[in-house]
Each structure stands twice: as structure tokens, then as C-alpha cells.
Amino acid sequence: MPNLRRKSSDKDDTALVSEMSPYGVAQMREYVGDISLELAGMARAQGDEKLACLLEVASDVARRREI
């Protein structure tokens, strides 16, 4: 099984969460954040403010770097 965890080349540096996560996680979270914002705009255009707000919160959660 391949090692999916990135290793920091400098042990003194604090690794970013994206470096400590499996490959592709940061990109996936960014994608989910982007799509959620687009869906929020669509929901708002249809008059569903509650759904739009929930999708904006989902976007914020997806874009957070802390896990």
C-alpha cells in the first residue's frame, strides 16, 4: 500500500495541515468550497435564502485548514 502522507523535509518546520493530510485532500476541500458557493448563489437566485446560508457555511467549513 502506498504511503499517502507527506513528510516534511525539514523536521524543525511546522508542517501545514495540507502537508499532513493525504494527497488531494486540500484540493478536494477547495473544490467542495467552490461548488458550495456556486450552489449558494443558485439557491439565492431561486429565493431560498435558508439553503443559500447553509451552503455558505458548508463552503466555509470545507475551506478551513484545521482538521
Side-chain angles (χ1 to χ4, degrees):
M1 177 178 255
N3 183 3
L4 299 178
R5 300 263 178 203
R6 293 183 183 166
K7 302 289 183 189
S8 177
S9 60
D10 187 359
K11 292 181 182 180
D12 295 328
D13 285 347
T14 303
L16 297 173
V17 170
S18 62
E19 290 178 352
M20 295 170 27
S21 300
Y23 287 126
V25 170
Q27 293 83 1
M28 181 272 310
R29 291 175 70 93
E30 184 177 343
Y31 175 76
V32 169
D34 290 344
I35 293 299
S36 296
L37 279 181
E38 284 191 38
L39 290 171
M42 294 168 64
R44 191 166 278 120
Q46 295 295 317
D48 194 340
E49 186 64 25
K50 185 175 182 178
L51 179 58
C53 290
L54 289 170
L55 288 164
E56 287 172 347
V57 169
S59 176
D60 289 343
V61 170
R63 291 169 181 266
R64 252 188 211 155
R65 295 289 179 198
E66 305 90 35
I67 296 179

